[in-house]
Amino acid sequence: MMINSVLGPLSPEQMGKTLVHDHFNFAYPGYPADLSIAPYDYNVERGRCLEMCDTLNEIGIKTVMDPTPCDAHGRNPELYAEVSQKSGINIILCTGLLNEHDGAPQYWITMYGKDISKMITDLFIKEISEGILQTGIKAGFIKVGCSSALTDYEKSVHIAAVNAQKATGVPIITHTDERSGVEQAEFLLSLGADPKKIMIGHVNSVNDVNYHRAILQKGTSIAFDRMGLAAVFDFTEEDNCRNVAQLIKEGFVKKIMLSQDTVLSLGRDRFADLNEEWSNAFKNSKIDFICREAIPMLKAEGVTDQQINTMFIDNPKNLFLGV
Ligand SMILES: [Zn+2]
């Protein structure tokens, strides 16, 4: 089994230490409206992406799964092929759609009377099996998003994701709001998705190990993929690390993955001139936060090097292999 990376087929064995949810370029729908003030410059963005890869190389990350879906902006397969070639970092892109309120559902919602699940299934399968846009560069996984409860539109997208998984065998990773991970896992599984190839994301938007465990008990993996963002959700990184350590003690080490949900924002700089409250909230949002700061905290909670490697190396690989 081979994974679709931006440079072509990648063996799961070559993934190494993997960030399962960090973005290179990203902007929400609506960004093109601001292009007169904040134009897109390929060379500037290439420089920012290469700089991020320099840091990744310093800290030993080999692979980044970039979950920027079709209706967000920034997913540029040719740019990432160039960046991957130059830096040696493996980059795996996704097909998929954002949740309804963050995304751009209107195009689909106004396909009056049509089966939009079928239409979206065709899009996902095309991007996985033939390539994204006209680049021939293929998506390696599917990303779906869920609001605090699944909307009808989001259900159509989830149905399409499961259909595309059945046709292609790729993993599904997710966005959740608040505590929607349980409902989302149940819905995906009710459609016949492979639990070994599902990773429910953003579980650490909530500081409650009972919530995390409730998803794990459905049989899917979960991602603590907002390491560094705890302050945004009014708790601490120590809480994050304590929750991970607790779930490991309960035997879930093979079902937990780690990432940071960082973005290289397109458009006007969202992080410029933050007031004190926001600059504190985002101060740990950085691509090397786990490796430089969270790992020592995890170790202080009793997590071993071997368990860290399981979460960072084995689990992402097994998500693709379905074992
Ligand atoms: Zn994200």
Side-chain angles (χ1 to χ4, degrees):
M1 178 272 164
M2 298 295 266
I3 299 165
N4 295 332
S5 82
V6 294
L7 294 181
L10 177 77
S11 155
E13 302 303 325
Q14 290 171 283
M15 285 175 75
K17 241 185 217 179
T18 298
L19 291 173
V20 292
H21 189 132
D22 275 274
H23 302 260
F24 287 90
N25 286 149
F26 180 89
Y28 282 111
Y31 160 57
D34 203 20
L35 281 168
S36 299
I37 285 186
Y40 176 81
D41 184 323
Y42 185 95
N43 291 327
V44 169
E45 297 312 327
R46 179 180 53 198
R48 294 171 81 202
C49 293
L50 284 170
E51 204 177 301
M52 175 169 140
C53 287
D54 286 344
T55 306
L56 295 172
N57 276 320
E58 272 169 36
I59 57 180
I61 299 289
K62 281 300 299 169
T63 299
V64 177
M65 293 167 61
D66 181 327
T68 301
C70 312
D71 55 345
H73 299 280
R75 195 183 56 148
N76 184 335
E78 282 156 333
L79 169 64
Y80 299 146
E82 190 180 343
V83 165
S84 179
Q85 184 83 54
K86 286 208 165 89
S87 65
I89 299 292
N90 303 312
I91 303 172
I92 307 172
L93 300 183
C94 74
T95 189
L97 290 166
L98 293 164
N99 63 352
E100 182 160 356
H101 69 87
D102 290 328
Q106 211 55 34
Y107 172 77
W108 304 103
I109 287 171
T110 54
M111 292 286 174
Y112 301 111
K114 299 195 179 58
D115 180 352
I116 66 166
S117 276
K118 165 76 173 76
M119 298 175 80
I120 297 169
T121 302
D122 292 344
L123 170 67
F124 291 172
I125 292 176
K126 196 268 175 190
E127 293 203 335
I128 297 161
S129 56
E130 293 173 43
I132 298 167
L133 305 173
Q134 275 70 51
T135 63
I137 295 170
K138 297 173 184 173
F141 63 100
I142 303 165
K143 153 87 172 284
V144 294
C146 177
S147 301
S148 51
L150 273 168
T151 67
D152 287 345
Y153 165 74
E154 288 162 359
K155 283 182 182 172
S156 298
V157 176
H158 283 61
I159 291 166
V162 175
N163 289 340
Q165 180 181 72
K166 287 177 183 169
T168 64
V170 304
I172 297 172
I173 83 162
T174 80
H175 168 106
T176 52
D177 280 347
E178 299 168 22
R179 293 170 181 262
S180 62
V182 176
E183 180 193 2
Q184 184 183 48
E186 279 172 358
F187 188 65
L188 289 167
L189 294 171
S190 76
L191 299 167
D194 179 351
K196 296 192 178 70
K197 292 186 176 179
I198 299 175
M199 182 185 80
I200 303 296
H202 300 347
V203 302
N204 58 334
S205 309
V206 177
N207 175 28
D208 180 0
V209 79
N210 294 320
Y211 166 64
H212 307 146
R213 187 188 303 108
I215 305 172
L216 287 164
Q217 285 171 341
K218 304 286 171 197
T220 69
S221 293
I222 61 174
F224 282 75
D225 53 15
R226 285 180 157 170
M227 302 298 283
L229 291 174
V232 177
F233 300 100
D234 284 326
F235 56 96
T236 67
E237 298 304 332
E238 284 78 6
D239 293 328
N240 262 329
C241 293
R242 203 174 310 117
N243 292 338
V244 171
Q246 175 61 31
L247 293 166
I248 289 175
K249 277 188 204 121
E250 296 177 22
F252 291 114
V253 71
K254 291 186 174 167
K255 293 289 180 187
I256 300 170
M257 287 172 254
L258 305 171
S259 213
Q260 302 146 145
D261 202 7
T262 58
V263 292
L264 297 177
S265 283
L266 294 174
R268 296 192 221 189
D269 186 352
R270 296 159 65 202
F271 302 106
D273 307 321
L274 291 172
N275 67 28
E276 200 185 322
E277 184 192 343
W278 284 104
S279 51
N280 279 335
F282 283 106
K283 74 173 191 293
N284 290 323
S285 180
K286 44 196 173 186
I287 196 68
D288 52 357
F289 177 74
I290 295 173
C291 289
R292 296 203 209 273
E293 297 178 50
I295 285 179
M297 288 184 213
L298 286 166
K299 287 185 171 174
E301 295 291 340
V303 178
T304 66
D305 283 319
Q306 195 190 351
Q307 289 165 333
I308 289 164
N309 285 339
T310 299
M311 293 188 286
F312 245 149
I313 300 172
D314 300 335
N315 295 349
K317 177 178 75 178
N318 289 337
L319 184 69
F320 284 89
L321 289 170
V323 298

